[in-house]
Amino acid sequence: MKNFFNEFKAFALKGNVMNLAVGVIIGAAFQSVVASLTDNILSPIIGLFTGQNFDGLQFAFLGVSLRYGAFITSVINFFILAFVVFLLVKLMNRAEALGAKPAAAPVDAAPTHKSCPFCLSEIPLAATRCPACTSELGALGAE
């Protein structure tokens, strides 16, 4: 049982888990701000065009009230939240790219192949005869 708690402690205190927990908490708080923006500012502006409170849009169907205005408000909340998260991720990726060191130029490895002077096919350096044209290359050496 002690080993189980030690494993759980190691898991819970990993950086990724803690970052996720902080992200969820901040996301929940931010969601309430977006909901307030939509409910208190955007819905009334849209309501100007519909002539009533946008959240109050509904219709009765078989004795049940379907509040499609509240649903549309939730969809608007989602898109605003998704857009802001997209911008934050894009900003974080750009900041991470600025802090990253530029990639070093690749170092050329020693050549492992040579060209046959007769047919110009590529052959291993140690070859003494070209497999394509069968010319002898022993006296020519590596080129």
Side-chain angles (χ1 to χ4, degrees), residues 34-49 54 73 76-77 80:
V34 171
S36 176
L37 170 73
T38 306
D39 293 341
N40 299 322
I41 296 176
L42 296 179
S43 289
I45 291 173
I46 295 172
L48 290 173
F49 299 109
F54 185 67
T73 299
I76 292 170
N77 285 346
I80 291 171

Side-chain angles (χ1 to χ4, degrees), residues 90-103:
K90 189 172 180 173
L91 178 70
M92 293 302 293
N93 288 342
R94 184 174 291 165
E96 186 177 309
L98 288 176
K101 294 180 182 178

Side-chain angles (χ1 to χ4, degrees), residues 2-130:
K2 185 176 181 180
N3 189 28
F4 174 77
F5 286 120
N6 287 336
E7 287 180 26
F8 179 75
K9 179 181 169 185
F11 167 76
L13 296 180
K14 281 185 181 177
N16 293 341
V17 174
M18 295 304 285
N19 291 342
L20 179 64
V22 169
V24 167
I25 292 168
I26 290 174
F30 185 69
Q31 191 273 337
S32 67
V33 171
V34 171
S36 176
L37 170 73
T38 306
D39 293 341
N40 299 322
I41 296 176
L42 296 179
S43 289
I45 291 173
I46 295 172
L48 290 173
F49 299 109
T50 61
Q52 60 180 333
N53 183 359
F54 185 67
D55 285 339
L57 295 177
Q58 61 184 353
F59 68 90
F61 179 72
L62 300 175
V64 177
S65 176
L66 299 175
R67 298 180 45 202
Y68 66 93
F71 174 74
I72 293 173
T73 299
S74 296
V75 171
I76 292 170
N77 285 346
F78 169 77
F79 281 116
I80 291 171
L81 194 58
F83 181 70
V84 171
V85 168
F86 167 75
L87 291 178
L88 287 174
V89 169
K90 189 172 180 173
L91 178 70
M92 293 302 293
N93 288 342
R94 184 174 291 165
E96 186 177 309
L98 288 176
K101 294 180 182 178
V107 178
D108 290 335
T112 59
H113 288 77
K114 61 184 176 183
S115 294
C116 173
F118 302 105
C119 70
L120 301 177
S121 63
E122 194 170 296
I123 56 175
L125 281 176
T128 58
R129 186 176 290 269
C130 178

